[in-house]
Amino acid sequence: MVDHLFRHQYGKMVAILAKIFGPNHLDLIEDALQDTFLKASLQWRKKQPEAPEAWFIAAARNRVLDLLRQVQSREKREASLPHSAVALEIQDFFLEHEVQDSQLRMLFLACNPNFSRSEQICFALKSISGFSQKEIAAALLEKPETIKKRISRARQKIQDQNIKLAYPSPAQIEIGLQGVLQIIYLIFNEGFHSVKKDQLIDRDLCGEALRLCKLLLTKESFRSGKLYALFALLCLNSARIEAKTRGQEIIDLKNQDRSLWFPPLIKLGQDALMRALADYDDRSAYHYEALIAYEHMRAEKFEDTDWEKVLQYYQNLEDLLPSQSLFLAKASIYLQLQDPSAARAELECIDPNKLAARQYLYHATLAEIYSLENKFDLAQKALLQAIKTCSNQLEGDFLKAKLEDINKP
Amino acid sequence: MKEFMLLFLGPTYEELGLSPEELQGRMGKWFAWGNKMQEQGILKGGDALYGHGKRVKGADRIVTDGPFVESKELIGGYYQVMAADYEAAIEIAQDYPDYDLGGSVEIREVVKFER
Protein backbone atom coordinates (compact mmCIF):
# COMPACT_ATOMS: atom_id res chain seq x y z
CA MET A 1 0.00 0.00 0.00
CA VAL A 2 1.21 3.50 -0.83
CA ASP A 3 2.83 5.36 2.07
CA HIS A 4 0.55 7.94 3.70
CA LEU A 5 -2.39 6.75 1.59
CA PHE A 6 -4.87 7.13 4.44
CA ARG A 7 -3.56 10.54 5.42
CA HIS A 8 -3.69 11.89 1.87
CA GLN A 9 -7.08 10.37 1.17
CA TYR A 10 -8.36 11.94 4.35
CA GLY A 11 -7.28 15.39 3.18
CA LYS A 12 -8.88 14.84 -0.20
CA MET A 13 -12.15 13.69 1.27
CA VAL A 14 -12.36 16.59 3.72
CA ALA A 15 -11.86 18.95 0.78
CA ILE A 16 -14.51 17.29 -1.39
CA LEU A 17 -17.08 17.22 1.39
CA ALA A 18 -16.29 20.78 2.46
CA LYS A 19 -16.92 21.89 -1.09
CA ILE A 20 -20.26 20.13 -1.23
CA PHE A 21 -21.51 21.06 2.23
CA GLY A 22 -19.55 24.18 3.05
CA PRO A 23 -16.68 24.58 5.51
CA ASN A 24 -19.11 25.52 8.31
CA HIS A 25 -19.83 21.78 8.54
CA LEU A 26 -16.21 20.75 9.02
CA ASP A 27 -16.82 19.30 12.48
CA LEU A 28 -19.50 17.02 11.16
CA ILE A 29 -17.46 16.15 8.08
CA GLU A 30 -14.35 15.18 9.98
CA ASP A 31 -16.27 13.11 12.51
CA ALA A 32 -17.93 11.21 9.70
CA LEU A 33 -14.63 10.60 7.95
CA GLN A 34 -12.98 9.29 11.08
CA ASP A 35 -15.50 6.48 10.95
CA THR A 36 -14.68 5.69 7.32
CA PHE A 37 -11.00 5.33 8.02
CA LEU A 38 -11.63 3.23 11.09
CA LYS A 39 -13.71 0.87 9.00
CA ALA A 40 -11.04 0.62 6.34
CA SER A 41 -8.39 -0.20 8.92
CA LEU A 42 -10.50 -3.07 10.29
CA GLN A 43 -11.76 -4.42 6.99
CA TRP A 44 -8.38 -4.35 5.29
CA ARG A 45 -6.64 -6.41 7.89
CA LYS A 46 -7.55 -9.56 6.02
CA LYS A 47 -7.95 -8.42 2.47
CA GLN A 48 -7.05 -5.16 0.85
CA PRO A 49 -9.05 -3.75 -2.04
CA GLU A 50 -7.36 -3.80 -5.43
CA ALA A 51 -8.04 -0.09 -5.85
CA PRO A 52 -7.91 1.49 -2.39
CA GLU A 53 -8.49 4.99 -3.75
CA ALA A 54 -11.67 3.89 -5.48
CA TRP A 55 -12.79 2.31 -2.21
CA PHE A 56 -12.32 5.62 -0.43
CA ILE A 57 -14.16 7.52 -3.14
CA ALA A 58 -17.10 5.15 -2.86
CA ALA A 59 -16.99 5.55 0.90
CA ALA A 60 -16.93 9.33 0.56
CA ARG A 61 -19.98 9.22 -1.69
CA ASN A 62 -21.84 7.27 0.93
CA ARG A 63 -20.74 9.82 3.48
CA VAL A 64 -22.33 12.53 1.33
CA LEU A 65 -25.71 10.87 1.78
CA ASP A 66 -25.20 10.36 5.52
CA LEU A 67 -24.15 13.95 5.91
CA LEU A 68 -27.07 15.25 3.92
CA ARG A 69 -29.37 13.65 6.46
CA GLN A 70 -27.35 14.91 9.40
CA VAL A 71 -27.06 18.43 8.06
CA GLN A 72 -30.77 18.44 7.43
CA SER A 73 -31.63 17.51 10.98
CA ARG A 74 -28.99 19.83 12.40
CA GLU A 75 -30.17 22.88 10.54
CA LYS A 76 -33.85 22.03 10.43
CA ARG A 77 -34.11 24.49 7.60
CA GLU A 78 -34.54 23.36 4.04
CA ALA A 79 -33.25 26.69 2.80
CA SER A 80 -29.67 26.21 3.85
CA LEU A 81 -29.38 22.78 2.31
CA PRO A 82 -26.90 22.47 -0.47
CA HIS A 83 -29.57 22.08 -3.12
CA SER A 84 -27.04 22.72 -5.79
CA ALA A 85 -25.03 19.76 -4.59
CA VAL A 86 -27.96 17.46 -4.88
CA ALA A 87 -29.05 18.89 -8.18
CA LEU A 88 -25.56 18.75 -9.57
CA GLU A 89 -24.14 15.41 -10.34
CA ILE A 90 -22.42 14.53 -7.06
CA GLN A 91 -20.23 12.41 -9.26
CA ASP A 92 -18.59 15.53 -10.64
CA PHE A 93 -17.11 16.44 -7.29
CA PHE A 94 -14.99 13.33 -7.41
CA LEU A 95 -13.28 14.01 -10.72
CA GLU A 96 -9.55 14.39 -10.31
CA HIS A 97 -9.36 18.06 -11.26
CA GLU A 98 -12.32 18.87 -9.01
CA VAL A 99 -10.60 17.18 -6.10
CA GLN A 100 -7.48 19.23 -6.74
CA ASP A 101 -9.58 22.35 -6.96
CA SER A 102 -11.23 21.55 -3.62
CA GLN A 103 -7.87 21.05 -1.98
CA LEU A 104 -6.54 24.31 -3.35
CA ARG A 105 -9.58 26.13 -2.00
CA MET A 106 -8.95 24.49 1.38
CA LEU A 107 -5.41 25.81 1.26
CA PHE A 108 -6.67 29.35 0.79
CA LEU A 109 -9.23 28.78 3.51
CA ALA A 110 -6.46 27.69 5.90
CA CYS A 111 -4.56 30.88 5.14
CA ASN A 112 -7.54 33.10 5.78
CA PRO A 113 -6.22 36.37 7.20
CA ASN A 114 -8.75 36.18 10.05
CA PHE A 115 -6.87 33.19 11.46
CA SER A 116 -3.74 33.75 13.48
CA ARG A 117 -0.56 32.29 12.04
CA SER A 118 -0.58 29.39 14.49
CA GLU A 119 -4.25 28.70 13.75
CA GLN A 120 -3.46 28.65 10.03
CA ILE A 121 -0.73 26.06 10.47
CA CYS A 122 -2.80 23.81 12.73
CA PHE A 123 -5.86 24.08 10.52
CA ALA A 124 -3.85 23.22 7.41
CA LEU A 125 -2.17 20.22 9.02
CA LYS A 126 -5.46 18.91 10.36
CA SER A 127 -7.93 19.46 7.57
CA ILE A 128 -5.73 19.44 4.48
CA SER A 129 -2.94 17.12 5.50
CA GLY A 130 -4.90 14.69 7.67
CA PHE A 131 -2.71 14.91 10.79
CA SER A 132 -4.40 14.19 14.11
CA GLN A 133 -4.26 16.70 16.93
CA LYS A 134 -1.76 14.48 18.68
CA GLU A 135 0.45 14.32 15.62
CA ILE A 136 0.32 18.09 15.15
CA ALA A 137 1.18 18.55 18.81
CA ALA A 138 4.21 16.29 18.41
CA ALA A 139 5.24 18.06 15.22
CA LEU A 140 5.00 21.56 16.68
CA LEU A 141 6.17 20.59 20.17
CA GLU A 142 2.92 21.81 21.73
CA LYS A 143 0.31 20.24 23.97
CA PRO A 144 -2.56 18.44 22.21
CA GLU A 145 -5.06 20.68 24.05
CA THR A 146 -3.37 23.76 22.61
CA ILE A 147 -3.73 22.36 19.11
CA LYS A 148 -7.34 21.46 19.77
CA LYS A 149 -8.08 25.00 20.87
CA ARG A 150 -6.44 26.53 17.84
CA ILE A 151 -8.38 24.31 15.47
CA SER A 152 -11.68 24.95 17.15
CA ARG A 153 -11.00 28.69 17.22
CA ALA A 154 -10.39 28.63 13.48
CA ARG A 155 -13.58 26.64 12.92
CA GLN A 156 -15.52 29.03 15.11
CA LYS A 157 -14.31 31.90 12.97
CA ILE A 158 -15.55 30.09 9.87
CA GLN A 159 -18.97 29.91 11.51
CA ASP A 160 -19.04 33.43 12.93
CA GLN A 161 -17.71 35.18 9.88
CA ASN A 162 -19.43 32.91 7.43
CA ILE A 163 -16.18 32.16 5.63
CA LYS A 164 -16.69 30.31 2.35
CA LEU A 165 -14.57 27.80 0.52
CA ALA A 166 -13.64 30.23 -2.21
CA TYR A 167 -10.57 31.64 -3.86
CA PRO A 168 -9.76 35.22 -2.95
CA SER A 169 -11.12 37.81 -5.35
CA PRO A 170 -8.83 38.65 -8.29
CA ALA A 171 -7.72 41.79 -6.47
CA GLN A 172 -6.82 39.76 -3.37
CA ILE A 173 -5.36 36.68 -5.02
CA GLU A 174 -1.77 37.93 -4.94
CA ILE A 175 -1.90 38.56 -1.19
CA GLY A 176 -3.74 35.30 -0.65
CA LEU A 177 -1.08 33.37 -2.52
CA GLN A 178 1.66 35.02 -0.49
CA GLY A 179 -0.03 33.80 2.67
CA VAL A 180 -0.28 30.29 1.26
CA LEU A 181 3.40 30.23 0.30
CA GLN A 182 4.35 31.47 3.73
CA ILE A 183 2.38 28.73 5.48
CA ILE A 184 3.99 26.07 3.29
CA TYR A 185 7.40 27.57 4.06
CA LEU A 186 6.67 27.57 7.80
CA ILE A 187 5.39 23.99 7.79
CA PHE A 188 8.55 22.92 6.00
CA ASN A 189 10.80 24.74 8.44
CA GLU A 190 9.02 23.22 11.43
CA GLY A 191 10.17 19.89 10.08
CA PHE A 192 13.51 20.90 8.66
CA HIS A 193 14.99 22.95 11.47
CA SER A 194 14.11 20.77 14.39
CA VAL A 195 15.25 17.51 15.83
CA LYS A 196 12.63 15.54 17.69
CA LYS A 197 12.67 12.17 19.33
CA ASP A 198 10.38 11.01 16.58
CA GLN A 199 12.18 12.18 13.46
CA LEU A 200 9.59 10.62 11.20
CA ILE A 201 7.22 13.44 12.03
CA ASP A 202 9.81 16.02 10.94
CA ARG A 203 10.11 14.32 7.59
CA ASP A 204 6.35 14.10 7.29
CA LEU A 205 6.12 17.87 7.71
CA CYS A 206 8.73 18.43 5.01
CA GLY A 207 6.96 15.96 2.73
CA GLU A 208 3.63 17.66 3.31
CA ALA A 209 5.05 21.08 2.47
CA LEU A 210 6.48 19.71 -0.76
CA ARG A 211 3.17 18.07 -1.64
CA LEU A 212 1.21 21.29 -1.05
CA CYS A 213 3.70 23.22 -3.13
CA LYS A 214 3.28 20.73 -5.97
CA LEU A 215 -0.48 21.06 -5.63
CA LEU A 216 -0.21 24.81 -6.17
CA LEU A 217 1.97 24.24 -9.21
CA THR A 218 -0.80 22.22 -10.86
CA LYS A 219 -2.79 25.41 -11.35
CA GLU A 220 -1.30 27.52 -14.10
CA SER A 221 -2.62 30.84 -12.86
CA PHE A 222 -0.92 30.32 -9.49
CA ARG A 223 2.51 29.77 -10.98
CA SER A 224 4.96 32.53 -10.29
CA GLY A 225 8.65 33.03 -9.78
CA LYS A 226 8.02 32.96 -6.03
CA LEU A 227 6.23 29.64 -6.20
CA TYR A 228 8.94 28.00 -8.32
CA ALA A 229 11.60 29.48 -6.05
CA LEU A 230 9.88 28.13 -2.95
CA PHE A 231 9.53 24.73 -4.58
CA ALA A 232 13.23 24.85 -5.50
CA LEU A 233 14.16 25.76 -1.93
CA LEU A 234 12.11 22.91 -0.47
CA CYS A 235 13.61 20.41 -2.93
CA LEU A 236 17.19 21.53 -2.35
CA ASN A 237 16.80 21.47 1.42
CA SER A 238 14.96 18.14 1.36
CA ALA A 239 17.86 16.67 -0.60
CA ARG A 240 20.04 17.18 2.49
CA ILE A 241 17.65 15.68 5.00
CA GLU A 242 19.57 12.39 5.39
CA ALA A 243 22.83 14.21 5.91
CA LYS A 244 21.74 16.89 8.34
CA THR A 245 21.13 14.83 11.45
CA ARG A 246 22.92 12.12 13.33
CA GLY A 247 20.72 10.79 16.09
CA GLN A 248 19.40 13.80 17.96
CA GLU A 249 22.06 16.17 16.66
CA ILE A 250 21.98 18.62 13.81
CA ILE A 251 25.03 18.53 11.58
CA ASP A 252 25.88 21.81 9.89
CA LEU A 253 26.77 22.18 6.22
CA LYS A 254 30.47 22.11 6.89
CA ASN A 255 30.37 18.69 8.50
CA GLN A 256 27.72 16.97 6.42
CA ASP A 257 28.60 13.88 4.41
CA ARG A 258 27.80 15.27 0.97
CA SER A 259 27.56 11.81 -0.58
CA LEU A 260 24.29 11.42 1.36
CA TRP A 261 22.68 14.31 -0.50
CA PHE A 262 19.91 13.04 -2.76
CA PRO A 263 20.68 13.89 -6.43
CA PRO A 264 17.14 13.58 -7.90
CA LEU A 265 15.86 16.24 -5.50
CA ILE A 266 18.84 18.47 -6.24
CA LYS A 267 18.04 18.17 -9.94
CA LEU A 268 14.37 18.94 -9.37
CA GLY A 269 15.30 21.95 -7.25
CA GLN A 270 17.80 23.16 -9.80
CA ASP A 271 15.25 22.96 -12.64
CA ALA A 272 12.63 24.82 -10.61
CA LEU A 273 15.15 27.49 -9.67
CA MET A 274 16.13 28.00 -13.30
CA ARG A 275 12.48 28.44 -14.22
CA ALA A 276 11.93 30.88 -11.40
CA LEU A 277 14.84 32.99 -12.62
CA ALA A 278 14.39 32.67 -16.37
CA ASP A 279 10.63 32.72 -16.86
CA TYR A 280 9.61 35.33 -14.27
CA ASP A 281 10.77 38.78 -13.28
CA ASP A 282 9.72 38.80 -9.63
CA ARG A 283 12.36 38.22 -6.95
CA SER A 284 11.70 37.20 -3.36
CA ALA A 285 13.39 35.88 -0.26
CA TYR A 286 12.56 32.38 -1.55
CA HIS A 287 14.70 33.10 -4.60
CA TYR A 288 17.73 34.08 -2.60
CA GLU A 289 17.34 31.33 -0.05
CA ALA A 290 17.11 28.83 -2.88
CA LEU A 291 20.13 30.36 -4.59
CA ILE A 292 22.13 30.10 -1.38
CA ALA A 293 21.10 26.47 -0.96
CA TYR A 294 22.01 25.83 -4.58
CA GLU A 295 25.45 27.40 -4.25
CA HIS A 296 26.17 25.14 -1.31
CA MET A 297 25.03 22.08 -3.18
CA ARG A 298 27.15 22.92 -6.19
CA ALA A 299 30.32 22.80 -4.13
CA GLU A 300 31.90 19.38 -4.00
CA LYS A 301 33.52 20.19 -0.67
CA PHE A 302 32.70 22.85 1.89
CA GLU A 303 35.98 24.59 1.03
CA ASP A 304 34.95 24.81 -2.64
CA THR A 305 31.94 27.00 -1.86
CA ASP A 306 31.79 30.21 -3.88
CA TRP A 307 31.61 32.48 -0.84
CA GLU A 308 31.48 35.71 -2.83
CA LYS A 309 28.29 34.58 -4.50
CA VAL A 310 26.74 33.32 -1.27
CA LEU A 311 27.57 36.64 0.34
CA GLN A 312 25.86 38.51 -2.49
CA TYR A 313 22.68 36.46 -2.02
CA TYR A 314 22.71 37.12 1.71
CA GLN A 315 23.06 40.81 0.93
CA ASN A 316 20.03 40.54 -1.37
CA LEU A 317 18.10 38.83 1.42
CA GLU A 318 19.07 41.54 3.85
CA ASP A 319 17.89 44.23 1.44
CA LEU A 320 14.49 42.53 1.39
CA LEU A 321 14.21 41.70 5.06
CA PRO A 322 17.02 42.32 7.56
CA SER A 323 17.31 39.94 10.50
CA GLN A 324 19.72 39.05 13.28
CA SER A 325 20.51 35.62 11.90
CA LEU A 326 21.41 37.14 8.52
CA PHE A 327 24.15 39.22 10.16
CA LEU A 328 25.44 36.09 11.81
CA ALA A 329 25.45 34.18 8.54
CA LYS A 330 27.26 37.03 6.79
CA ALA A 331 29.84 37.25 9.55
CA SER A 332 30.74 33.60 9.12
CA ILE A 333 31.01 34.07 5.35
CA TYR A 334 33.45 36.95 5.85
CA LEU A 335 35.47 34.59 7.99
CA GLN A 336 35.60 32.12 5.12
CA LEU A 337 36.85 35.03 3.01
CA GLN A 338 39.53 35.76 5.64
CA ASP A 339 38.14 39.21 6.39
CA PRO A 340 37.86 39.47 10.19
CA SER A 341 37.09 43.19 10.32
CA ALA A 342 34.10 42.85 7.96
CA ALA A 343 32.97 39.89 10.05
CA ARG A 344 33.25 41.99 13.18
CA ALA A 345 31.17 44.77 11.61
CA GLU A 346 28.35 42.26 11.00
CA LEU A 347 28.51 40.94 14.56
CA GLU A 348 28.23 44.47 15.88
CA CYS A 349 24.72 44.62 14.38
CA ILE A 350 23.60 41.73 16.59
CA ASP A 351 22.09 41.55 20.04
CA PRO A 352 23.25 38.04 21.04
CA ASN A 353 20.39 37.70 23.53
CA LYS A 354 17.93 37.77 20.67
CA LEU A 355 19.51 34.73 19.04
CA ALA A 356 18.06 32.27 21.57
CA ALA A 357 19.43 28.78 20.92
CA ARG A 358 21.82 30.07 18.29
CA GLN A 359 23.59 32.41 20.69
CA TYR A 360 26.58 30.08 20.88
CA LEU A 361 27.19 30.69 17.18
CA TYR A 362 27.69 34.37 17.92
CA HIS A 363 30.38 33.61 20.48
CA ALA A 364 31.97 30.93 18.29
CA THR A 365 32.15 33.37 15.40
CA LEU A 366 33.64 36.00 17.65
CA ALA A 367 36.25 33.45 18.76
CA GLU A 368 37.21 32.82 15.17
CA ILE A 369 37.59 36.50 14.51
CA TYR A 370 39.97 36.83 17.47
CA SER A 371 41.90 33.78 16.31
CA LEU A 372 42.41 35.27 12.87
CA GLU A 373 43.64 38.42 14.58
CA ASN A 374 46.01 36.35 16.75
CA LYS A 375 44.23 37.54 19.95
CA PHE A 376 44.18 34.08 21.51
CA ASP A 377 43.25 35.16 25.05
CA LEU A 378 40.07 36.78 23.81
CA ALA A 379 39.40 33.86 21.45
CA GLN A 380 39.63 31.52 24.42
CA LYS A 381 37.18 33.61 26.43
CA ALA A 382 34.70 33.73 23.58
CA LEU A 383 34.98 29.98 23.05
CA LEU A 384 34.24 29.32 26.72
CA GLN A 385 31.18 31.52 26.40
CA ALA A 386 30.15 29.61 23.27
CA ILE A 387 30.51 26.27 25.04
CA LYS A 388 28.47 27.59 27.95
CA THR A 389 25.56 28.62 25.72
CA CYS A 390 25.64 25.62 23.36
CA SER A 391 23.05 22.89 23.90
CA ASN A 392 23.95 20.83 20.84
CA GLN A 393 26.38 18.12 21.88
CA LEU A 394 28.06 17.62 18.54
CA GLU A 395 28.68 21.35 18.25
CA GLY A 396 29.77 21.50 21.86
CA ASP A 397 32.39 18.79 21.27
CA PHE A 398 33.56 20.65 18.22
CA LEU A 399 33.97 23.86 20.22
CA LYS A 400 35.86 22.05 22.98
CA ALA A 401 38.26 20.58 20.42
CA LYS A 402 38.86 24.11 19.14
CA LEU A 403 39.55 25.36 22.61
CA GLU A 404 42.17 22.65 23.09
CA ASP A 405 43.79 23.65 19.82
CA ILE A 406 44.15 27.22 21.01
CA ASN A 407 45.52 26.13 24.36
CA LYS A 408 48.33 24.21 22.67
CA PRO A 409 51.54 26.25 22.54
CA MET B 1 -1.96 -30.22 16.23
CA LYS B 2 -4.51 -28.48 18.41
CA GLU B 3 -6.77 -25.60 17.62
CA PHE B 4 -6.56 -22.39 19.63
CA MET B 5 -8.66 -19.31 19.78
CA LEU B 6 -6.79 -16.03 20.10
CA LEU B 7 -9.09 -13.35 21.54
CA PHE B 8 -7.92 -9.78 21.23
CA LEU B 9 -8.84 -7.57 24.17
CA GLY B 10 -8.33 -3.88 24.58
CA PRO B 11 -9.60 -0.39 23.78
CA THR B 12 -10.91 0.17 20.27
CA TYR B 13 -9.07 2.34 17.77
CA GLU B 14 -12.11 4.57 17.88
CA GLU B 15 -11.68 5.25 21.58
CA LEU B 16 -7.98 5.83 21.15
CA GLY B 17 -8.64 8.44 18.48
CA LEU B 18 -5.99 7.10 16.12
CA SER B 19 -5.08 9.28 13.15
CA PRO B 20 -5.45 8.12 9.53
CA GLU B 21 -1.69 7.57 9.41
CA GLU B 22 -1.73 5.44 12.55
CA LEU B 23 -4.74 3.48 11.31
CA GLN B 24 -2.90 2.66 8.11
CA GLY B 25 0.17 1.60 10.05
CA ARG B 26 -1.86 -0.69 12.35
CA MET B 27 -3.77 -2.13 9.44
CA GLY B 28 -0.50 -2.93 7.67
CA LYS B 29 0.81 -4.82 10.68
CA TRP B 30 -2.37 -6.87 11.05
CA PHE B 31 -2.28 -7.62 7.35
CA ALA B 32 1.34 -8.78 7.53
CA TRP B 33 0.62 -10.98 10.52
CA GLY B 34 -2.37 -12.58 8.82
CA ASN B 35 -0.32 -13.20 5.70
CA LYS B 36 2.47 -14.77 7.69
CA MET B 37 0.11 -17.21 9.39
CA GLN B 38 -1.59 -17.94 6.08
CA GLU B 39 1.75 -18.84 4.53
CA GLN B 40 2.56 -21.07 7.47
CA GLY B 41 -0.82 -22.72 6.95
CA ILE B 42 -1.82 -22.26 10.59
CA LEU B 43 -4.62 -19.72 10.23
CA LYS B 44 -8.08 -21.28 10.37
CA GLY B 45 -10.14 -18.12 10.45
CA GLY B 46 -11.00 -14.99 12.36
CA ASP B 47 -12.02 -11.39 11.93
CA ALA B 48 -12.13 -7.99 13.54
CA LEU B 49 -15.27 -7.04 15.49
CA TYR B 50 -16.94 -3.68 15.72
CA GLY B 51 -16.91 -2.13 19.17
CA HIS B 52 -20.65 -1.77 19.65
CA GLY B 53 -23.16 -4.61 19.93
CA LYS B 54 -26.17 -6.12 21.70
CA ARG B 55 -26.47 -8.50 24.60
CA VAL B 56 -29.37 -10.85 25.31
CA LYS B 57 -29.51 -11.92 28.95
CA GLY B 58 -31.48 -13.90 31.49
CA ALA B 59 -34.62 -15.97 31.39
CA ASP B 60 -36.51 -12.94 30.06
CA ARG B 61 -34.05 -12.48 27.20
CA ILE B 62 -33.51 -8.86 28.12
CA VAL B 63 -31.70 -7.05 25.30
CA THR B 64 -29.17 -4.37 26.19
CA ASP B 65 -26.89 -2.22 24.08
CA GLY B 66 -23.13 -2.49 24.40
CA PRO B 67 -20.45 -1.84 25.33
CA PHE B 68 -20.74 -4.32 28.18
CA VAL B 69 -17.34 -4.32 29.80
CA GLU B 70 -14.56 -1.86 30.49
CA SER B 71 -12.79 -0.97 27.33
CA LYS B 72 -9.61 -2.78 28.25
CA GLU B 73 -11.59 -6.01 28.27
CA LEU B 74 -13.48 -5.34 25.05
CA ILE B 75 -13.09 -8.07 22.44
CA GLY B 76 -11.90 -6.42 19.25
CA GLY B 77 -11.39 -9.55 17.18
CA TYR B 78 -10.33 -13.17 17.14
CA TYR B 79 -8.24 -15.67 15.19
CA GLN B 80 -8.41 -19.43 15.16
CA VAL B 81 -4.96 -20.92 14.72
CA MET B 82 -3.38 -24.38 14.68
CA ALA B 83 -0.52 -24.97 17.09
CA ALA B 84 1.15 -27.91 18.82
CA ASP B 85 0.57 -26.61 22.34
CA TYR B 86 0.10 -23.46 24.43
CA GLU B 87 3.76 -22.62 24.11
CA ALA B 88 3.52 -22.57 20.33
CA ALA B 89 0.30 -20.54 20.51
CA ILE B 90 1.99 -17.99 22.76
CA GLU B 91 4.78 -17.78 20.19
CA ILE B 92 2.19 -17.02 17.49
CA ALA B 93 0.64 -14.31 19.67
CA GLN B 94 3.96 -12.44 19.82
CA ASP B 95 3.10 -10.75 16.51
CA TYR B 96 -0.17 -9.22 17.75
CA PRO B 97 0.30 -5.56 16.78
CA ASP B 98 -1.48 -3.68 19.58
CA TYR B 99 0.35 -4.53 22.80
CA ASP B 100 1.67 -0.97 22.87
CA LEU B 101 -1.91 0.36 22.90
CA GLY B 102 -2.74 -1.57 26.04
CA GLY B 103 -4.18 -4.55 24.22
CA SER B 104 -3.81 -8.18 25.23
CA VAL B 105 -4.30 -11.60 23.72
CA GLU B 106 -6.27 -14.30 25.49
CA ILE B 107 -5.44 -17.79 24.28
CA ARG B 108 -7.98 -20.62 24.71
CA GLU B 109 -7.84 -24.13 23.39
CA VAL B 110 -10.84 -25.10 21.30
CA VAL B 111 -12.64 -28.27 22.44
CA LYS B 112 -12.57 -30.92 19.73
CA PHE B 113 -14.64 -34.06 19.44
CA GLU B 114 -12.50 -37.15 19.92
CA ARG B 115 -13.48 -40.52 18.54
Side-chain angles (χ1 to χ4, degrees), chain A residues 30 47 80 105 122 188 230 285 299 314 368 389:
Chain A
E30 294 208 35
K47 190 173 181 296
S80 65
R105 285 165 191 259
C122 291
F188 185 86
L230 176 62
Y314 271 108
E368 286 204 42
T389 46

Side-chain angles (χ1 to χ4, degrees), chain A residues 322-328 347-363 389:
Chain A
S323 86
Q324 301 270 315
S325 52
L326 282 182
F327 296 127
L328 193 59
L347 281 197
E348 275 162 9
C349 304
I350 298 177
D351 174 1
N353 294 318
K354 283 194 183 153
L355 289 171
R358 305 179 70 197
Q359 204 191 112
Y360 78 93
L361 283 172
Y362 171 89
H363 299 291
T389 46

Side-chain angles (χ1 to χ4, degrees), chain A residues 27 30 122 125-126 130-140 142-152 155, chain B residues 17-20 22:
Chain A
D27 276 335
E30 294 208 35
C122 291
L125 288 175
K126 177 80 173 69
F131 285 60
S132 69
Q133 285 167 6
K134 224 168 73 193
E135 284 166 338
I136 300 171
L140 304 183
E142 299 271 8
K143 291 198 193 81
E145 301 86 78
T146 310
I147 304 301
K148 195 176 169 183
K149 268 188 212 144
R150 287 180 192 164
I151 291 170
S152 62
R155 290 195 184 158
Chain B
L18 296 192
S19 69
E22 288 168 314

Side-chain angles (χ1 to χ4, degrees), chain A residues 363 367 376-386 403:
Chain A
H363 299 291
F376 295 111
D377 277 6
L378 291 168
Q380 216 170 14
K381 251 191 187 158
L383 266 176
L384 283 169
Q385 192 63 25
L403 186 63

Side-chain angles (χ1 to χ4, degrees), chain A residues 184-220:
Chain A
I184 294 174
Y185 176 80
L186 290 174
I187 288 176
F188 185 86
N189 282 349
E190 282 291 346
F192 192 70
H193 291 299
S194 102
V195 180
K196 302 179 184 97
K197 281 230 166 60
D198 174 12
Q199 285 182 14
L200 272 180
I201 203 114
D202 279 340
R203 290 181 189 199
D204 284 357
L205 285 178
C206 295
E208 242 340 90
L210 263 173
R211 192 179 74 91
L212 296 176
C213 214
K214 269 203 247 171
L215 184 68
L216 280 177
L217 280 168
T218 59
K219 186 128 171 162
E220 211 175 336

Side-chain angles (χ1 to χ4, degrees), chain A residues 181 213 216-220 222-236 268-280 282 284 286-287 290:
Chain A
L181 295 191
C213 214
L216 280 177
L217 280 168
T218 59
K219 186 128 171 162
E220 211 175 336
F222 291 162
R223 291 178 200 157
S224 65
K226 278 192 204 78
L227 177 56
Y228 275 110
L230 176 62
F231 186 63
L233 174 63
L234 302 195
C235 289
L236 292 170
L268 205 59
Q270 185 185 350
D271 291 349
L273 184 56
M274 294 313 136
R275 280 195 88 153
L277 294 170
D279 297 353
Y280 301 90
D282 63 326
S284 65
Y286 305 130
H287 285 80

Side-chain angles (χ1 to χ4, degrees), chain A residues 2 4-6 34 135, chain B residues 18-19 21 24 27 31 47:
Chain A
V2 187
H4 309 308
L5 176 80
F6 277 36
Q34 187 63 27
E135 284 166 338
Chain B
L18 296 192
S19 69
E21 182 81 358
Q24 183 177 351
M27 185 270 295
F31 189 72
D47 272 303

